[in-house]
């Protein structure tokens, strides 16, 4: 550990905070050692001594994003309706992406072209520890869904993977501005997609629609 690093015990968090802020305002191409030094009052060498360089910092930012997403999931109180809870998680993911689209892109691999991979970290290969934790929170609700709906012949893991595909597809398109013609993209696009998804795996259409309404109400109440 460098002398400077030993004098600044929160250096890692400060650099990560600065990188997330720069990412939000200017995108991944602007995360540079000199820019971070100016934002934190530390030397450029701190980036290298703490993360091994910008690619290592980027991997840490990606992990921080999934940690923050986990915390956002945890702020939504569970209900007795697993479909409503899954939709609340989907709305949470959407809001998270809208708050920092560049971070969301980075988390899901859309911005990795800006950096050389860091060998064996797993951050870009689906083995990210933080993503696994976020994924586990969704699997837990999917497991409740399977238990509550014996007619559903899908594993919780498969349901969760399919949900990520559905949610990520909608969120990526919306953040890119493709649903600007809709007054309420959630009501007009996201909810119908969600209903069709759970009906396709075996839920009742009326029940699925009711659960999605309940999930949106619960999410809006929890997030103010």
């Amino acid at each position: 550990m460098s002398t400077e690093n030993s004098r600044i015990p929160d250096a890692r968090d400060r650099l990560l905070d600065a990188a997330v802020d720069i990412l939000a305002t200017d995108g991944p191409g602007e995360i540079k050692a000199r820019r971070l030094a100016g934002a934190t009052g530390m030397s450029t060498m701190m980036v290298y001594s703490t993360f091994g360089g910008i690619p290592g910092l980027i991997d840490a930012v990606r992990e921080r994003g999934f940690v923050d997403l986990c915390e956002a999931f945890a702020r939504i109180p569970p209900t007795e309706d697993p479909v409503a809870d899954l939709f609340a998680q989907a709305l949470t993911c959407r809001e998270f992406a809208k708050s920092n689209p560049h971070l969301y892109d980075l988390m899901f691999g859309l911005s990795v072209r800006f950096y050389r991979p860091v060998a064996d970290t797993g951050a870009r290969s689906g083995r990210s520890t933080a993503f696994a934790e976020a994924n586990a929170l969704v699997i837990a609700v999917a497991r409740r869904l399977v238990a509550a709906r014996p007619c559903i012949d899908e594993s919780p893991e498969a349901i969760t993977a399919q949900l990520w595909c559905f949610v990520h597809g909608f969120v990526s398109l919306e953040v890119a501005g493709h649903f600007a013609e809709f007054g309420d993209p959630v009501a007009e696009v996201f909810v119908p997609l969600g209903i069709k998804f759970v009906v396709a795996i075996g839920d009742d259409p009326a029940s699925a629609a009711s659960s999605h309404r309940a999930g949106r109400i619960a999410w809006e109440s929890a997030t103010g």
Side-chain angles (χ1 to χ4, degrees), residues 151-174:
C151 58
I152 295 178
D153 187 23
E154 296 267 6
S155 72
E157 292 76 14
I159 290 172
T160 298
Q162 294 164 27
L163 277 168
W164 280 115
C165 294
F166 142 56
V167 173
H168 181 60
F170 172 85
V171 168
S172 298
L173 288 170
E174 187 190 26

Side-chain angles (χ1 to χ4, degrees), residues 126-203:
R127 291 180 284 112
S128 160
T129 299
F131 172 76
E133 291 172 357
N135 196 51
L137 293 175
V138 183
I139 289 174
V141 184
R143 190 168 287 118
R144 288 170 46 212
L145 173 61
V146 171
R149 309 282 203 279
C151 58
I152 295 178
D153 187 23
E154 296 267 6
S155 72
E157 292 76 14
I159 290 172
T160 298
Q162 294 164 27
L163 277 168
W164 280 115
C165 294
F166 142 56
V167 173
H168 181 60
F170 172 85
V171 168
S172 298
L173 288 170
E174 187 190 26
V175 167
H178 291 291
F179 299 140
E181 69 272 24
F182 294 100
D184 185 349
V186 170
E188 297 175 74
V189 181
F190 207 24
V191 167
L193 273 173
I195 292 171
K196 289 181 175 70
F197 174 81
V198 294
V199 169
I201 62 173
D203 200 10

